[in-house]
Amino acid sequence: MPAYHSVFLDEPNQQVIGNFALLPLRTRTRGPAQQLPQMTDTTELDIEPSHTSYDPLDEILSLFRANTFFRNFEVKGPADRVLIYGILFVSEALSKIRPGNSRRDAEKSVMNVALDTNFAIPGDAGFPLNQAFEAPKDRNEAEILRQYIMQMRQELAMRLLNRWWLSFQKRKFMGKQL
Amino acid sequence: MAPQTPAVVMDNGTGYTKLGFAGNDSPSFVFPTAIATKGPSAGAAGGTGGSGSGRPAVANKPSFLTGGAGPTGHLSGKRGTEDLDFFIGDEALNASAGPGYGLHYPIRHGQVENWDQMERFWSNSIFKYLRVEPEDHYFLLTEPPLNPPENRENTAEIMFESFNCAGLYIAVQAVLALAASWTSSKVQDRSLTGTVIDSGEGVTHVIPVAEGYVIGSSIKSIPIAGRDITYFVQSLLRDRGEPDSSLKTAERIKEESCYVCPDIVKEFARFDKESDDRFKQYQVQQPGGRSVTVDVGYERFLAPEIFFNPEIYSSDFLTPLPNIVDTVIQTSPIDVRRGLYKNIVLSGGSTLYKDFGRRLQRDIRHLVDARIKASEARAGNAAKSGGLDVQVISHKRQRHGPWFGGSLLGQTPEFRSYCHTKAEYDEVGPSIVRRFALLGGPGST
């Protein structure tokens, strides 16, 4: 049984930049992502993939722990790339927390990572996975992609704060880090 | 005729030796297959086999140089006592911790490597632990699959000539493990056809057996077993920075808390929801007398998961156990495959995790069903398959499977007629043990 893939691979009408899918997110942050309704009848920990509000970020957080144990991952489509990016971002955010930090300090350092606007997107020289990711076609697309990823980062960081995963700091998904 | 003495059942494995009497429920003694002798530790022994190779150097001068008569008697006397100065099992581990003794493991990869040490190991097993007279007992020994016949001859030489035992039978461990599974209620016909998954401390074997005979060409082994699970638990403890991450702690956690889950993502979610039930704590007494608490978390289900997803542990071995089992059966002769799928028997300490058999059965069934479906599709859905029954047998005697199988077969009334006796050995010579009639096969009870 290989690593887990995204359930959004077969989602119809995906908006794609390069080969990175811009899937709808359940978020209040501003950006190009289509918004999914906030859920009312369930919680973040219990949400099922069949729920209408289930978004790629829920999936990233639920697959993160299992997938970080795998070194090989076959990319099956644009939605898998969202998953990869999200998992690598979670690793990075966790790595900023020092052991012995208070909860407040930890939250602060995670949010700092998320709010940092100086990050690489697919196609940039500093992006670690350019073999698997295509660069956006023009500057306009690059800007949309950047804003989308920014949204992902902020929303992920906010949801991450409810989890307690320091033991996964040292594992590197596919041997890569952002 | 006087009441028969029970047969002695000895199962010498790479890691542990199981000793006891036929008819008993569990072995009387279980201890490491280790021997501590005077002199330096392993490696020096060379492992060439034959007598004398592992012996400590005693006489530094040949007797004719010592001036004839007198001192020779003294020297040979000394040699005699040094030869007797050794320990086996747990005592060997203790002795080697102190000065003067070196620790040796006479069995490697299931096969005897050092016959001199093995002979001394057996002599202590018989006289010091079991305390029996070998002349009065028949012996049932075990051997790994693909054991060369020369090894059997060596064994017979030692058993008959050194110990003068009354009779001897040598059985293949995998066949005995099949016999041990007869205690399970799931087994209806007591056949000796099945696939044995034997996972101990060092290595995991998948062995197909058809009507009591091992299909040697299809055996596969997997470099993942008990020791690797311990290492993996240890690495998870270290990742988390637990206060104690010694191998001993990891081993205890492995043995007491680990189980097999149906799906790791779902299991992670379950830990989130029911964290109070799922997370455990474990007290460790450290050498200084301090007691520390170690948290036990995801390793409870991640550790045995390395059988089903080796990728999470090793980077060079990636094939999951269910796929290996499937390949083994697919490379066996076509007329026995149905029987091999129907009777997959677990044996050895590393198969004891809760739900191990269930998960294995489910995963193998998935593989089989997918293949049947694909071939039906290739046939244009014109022919339908009747399906294939996959059954993994878990039973209560798994831990010492081969030993218990030996105990079961050794107590049958016809057991003695299958053995070669001392008289037959004296008549024919060591080559007599190259062949044994199949114990527990068709025709016997």
Side-chain angles (χ1 to χ4, degrees):
Chain A
M1 196 169 64
Y4 294 82
H5 288 274
S6 174
V7 295
F8 297 98
L9 281 172
D10 302 324
E11 191 90 347
N13 307 325
Q14 288 181 8
Q15 187 194 349
V16 174
I17 289 183
N19 50 12
F20 192 94
L22 302 195
L23 297 162
L25 303 179
R26 189 182 73 241
T27 177
R28 292 204 174 92
T29 56
R30 287 195 301 158
Q34 274 184 43
Q35 294 210 354
L36 285 173
Q38 295 291 322
M39 61 210 166
T40 48
D41 51 342
T42 178
T43 65
E44 261 175 42
L45 287 180
D46 289 324
I47 191 162
E48 295 286 330
S50 53
H51 197 279
T52 46
S53 298
Y54 189 80
D55 73 355
L57 307 182
D58 288 319
E59 180 177 69
I60 287 162
L61 291 172
S62 71
L63 296 187
F64 169 73
R65 283 170 295 182
N67 270 3
T68 41
F69 283 96
F70 291 90
R71 265 159 237 161
N72 304 307
F73 188 80
E74 185 197 350
V75 181
K76 288 199 174 148
D80 266 351
R81 295 192 180 81
V82 179
L83 180 62
I84 292 172
Y85 188 88
I87 287 174
L88 292 179
F89 171 73
V90 173
S91 303
E92 184 185 288
L94 289 177
S95 72
K96 298 292 182 212
I97 303 173
R98 301 263 162 274
N101 271 13
S102 68
R103 189 179 169 95
R104 221 192 153 72
D105 289 345
E107 286 174 8
K108 211 186 259 172
S109 37
V110 170
M111 281 323 281
N112 276 343
V113 186
L115 291 171
D116 185 8
T117 49
N118 188 18
F119 57 87
I121 61 164
D124 288 1
F127 193 75
L129 287 161
N130 272 332
Q131 293 136 322
F133 287 67
E134 274 172 31
K137 277 199 255 13
D138 52 41
R139 189 173 288 196
N140 192 17
E141 275 198 1
E143 193 48 41
I144 297 175
L145 183 59
R146 176 173 284 278
Q147 282 171 8
Y148 179 81
I149 292 180
M150 187 75 203
Q151 265 186 307
M152 275 177 66
R153 291 166 71 104
Q154 290 179 12
E155 183 65 26
L156 266 178
M158 283 198 282
R159 292 193 207 170
L160 187 60
L161 294 178
N162 302 324
R163 320 257 170 161
W164 198 243
W165 284 352
L166 279 184
S167 58
F168 292 90
Q169 248 178 6
K170 289 187 187 126
R171 301 222 158 248
K172 291 196 178 116
F173 180 49
M174 303 164 75
K176 293 277 192 331
Q177 55 188 338
L178 284 176
Chain B
M1 201 173 116
Q4 284 194 346
T5 51
V8 172
V9 181
M10 298 208 282
D11 178 21
N12 299 108
T14 318
Y16 285 90
T17 284
K18 281 73 75 176
L19 294 180
F21 295 98
N24 288 2
D25 246 12
S26 56
S28 312
F29 299 98
V30 179
F31 48 76
T33 312
I35 177 168
T37 54
K38 271 277 183 215
S41 180
T48 48
S51 69
S53 67
R55 261 175 217 187
V58 177
N60 40 19
K61 279 182 189 168
S63 58
F64 56 85
L65 290 179
T66 55
T72 44
H74 166 67
L75 261 183
S76 63
K78 199 178 165 204
R79 173 183 306 223
T81 60
E82 291 240 329
D83 255 11
L84 292 173
D85 190 4
F86 66 93
F87 296 101
I88 66 168
D90 294 310
E91 285 179 292
L93 300 188
N94 292 338
S96 70
Y101 288 93
L103 192 64
H104 308 271
Y105 290 89
I107 297 190
R108 301 248 153 178
H109 310 295
Q111 298 191 347
V112 180
E113 293 256 305
N114 190 317
W115 289 96
D116 179 61
Q117 288 168 0
M118 202 63 217
E119 179 175 349
R120 290 195 270 166
F121 186 89
W122 276 329
S123 90
N124 247 8
S125 305
I126 295 171
F127 296 115
K128 192 170 166 189
Y129 285 84
L130 291 170
R131 292 171 178 264
V132 294
E133 289 294 340
E135 301 94 274
D136 299 339
H137 290 264
Y138 278 58
F139 280 72
L140 195 157
L141 301 192
T142 70
E143 62 173 5
L146 305 182
N147 196 29
E150 288 79 3
N151 283 0
R152 282 190 170 192
E153 291 186 10
N154 283 336
T155 306
E157 261 183 67
I158 294 175
M159 293 317 285
F160 283 122
E161 294 183 22
S162 303
F163 300 133
N164 201 17
C165 65
L168 176 68
Y169 188 88
I170 301 177
V172 182
Q173 282 147 11
V175 179
L176 294 179
L178 277 181
S181 75
W182 292 347
T183 51
S184 162
S185 56
K186 273 198 248 170
V187 180
Q188 279 111 29
D189 52 335
R190 301 186 149 199
S191 77
L192 283 179
T193 299
T195 313
V196 176
I197 297 172
D198 186 1
S199 185
E201 181 71 358
V203 75
T204 300
H205 288 288
V206 181
I207 307 153
V209 181
E211 283 156 28
Y213 292 94
V214 172
I215 302 169
S217 57
S218 302
I219 294 177
K220 278 204 186 300
S221 47
I222 303 167
I224 288 180
R227 196 176 303 137
D228 302 278
I229 300 180
T230 310
Y231 284 149
F232 189 56
V233 171
Q234 187 184 36
S235 81
L236 291 173
L237 294 177
R238 292 216 164 128
D239 277 1
R240 214 166 42 217
E242 291 292 346
D244 185 299
S245 57
S246 62
L247 268 183
K248 214 172 137 202
T249 308
E251 198 167 24
R252 285 280 299 278
I253 291 176
K254 173 186 88 168
E255 285 167 8
E256 286 169 18
S257 308
C258 286
Y259 61 91
V260 176
C261 70
D263 180 286
I264 49 178
V265 168
K266 290 199 185 112
E267 203 64 22
F268 273 123
R270 240 174 103 187
F271 267 66
D272 291 340
K273 278 181 228 160
E274 320 165 5
S275 34
D276 294 346
D277 295 347
R278 294 278 139 192
F279 287 97
K280 280 190 164 187
Q281 286 196 329
Y282 176 67
Q283 295 280 343
V284 192
Q285 290 290 337
Q286 281 184 333
R290 266 182 335 128
S291 163
V292 291
T293 309
V294 175
D295 291 314
V296 182
Y298 306 127
E299 52 274 15
R300 291 191 63 198
F301 63 92
L302 282 174
E305 185 71 21
I306 64 175
F307 280 116
F308 302 95
N309 265 321
E311 199 185 328
I312 65 179
Y313 166 72
S314 99
S315 47
D316 43 348
F317 183 81
L318 301 175
T319 324
L321 178 63
N323 297 54
I324 299 272
V325 177
D326 191 53
T327 321
V328 164
I329 299 179
Q330 286 295 316
T331 51
S332 300
I334 196 163
D335 56 327
V336 295
R337 284 184 206 162
R338 206 168 266 276
L340 294 180
Y341 275 119
K342 217 179 86 185
N343 193 25
I344 299 172
V345 170
L346 304 177
S347 150
S350 302
T351 60
L352 292 171
Y353 301 103
K354 188 171 167 287
D355 290 336
F356 184 89
R358 224 161 124 196
R359 169 83 182 270
L360 190 64
Q361 176 167 311
R362 186 197 73 180
D363 285 4
I364 298 175
R365 199 169 269 167
H366 280 321
L367 292 169
V368 168
D369 288 350
R371 185 169 41 241
I372 289 179
K373 214 168 173 190
S375 72
E376 278 177 352
R378 274 199 301 278
N381 286 320
K384 280 280 170 205
S385 158
L388 194 57
D389 190 16
V390 177
Q391 187 166 247
V392 175
I393 312 275
S394 303
H395 59 92
K396 292 202 179 68
R397 312 291 177 194
Q398 244 161 266
R399 184 189 294 272
H400 303 306
W403 186 89
F404 184 77
S407 165
L408 211 62
L409 295 177
Q411 67 170 336
T412 54
E414 68 276 15
F415 168 68
R416 290 194 169 199
S417 64
Y418 286 90
C419 290
H420 293 303
T421 61
K422 168 84 170 130
E424 287 167 336
Y425 174 85
D426 287 341
E427 178 80 23
V428 181
S431 65
I432 190 176
V433 293
R434 287 188 172 228
R435 296 189 68 80
F436 280 101
L438 182 63
L439 186 59
S444 70
T445 44

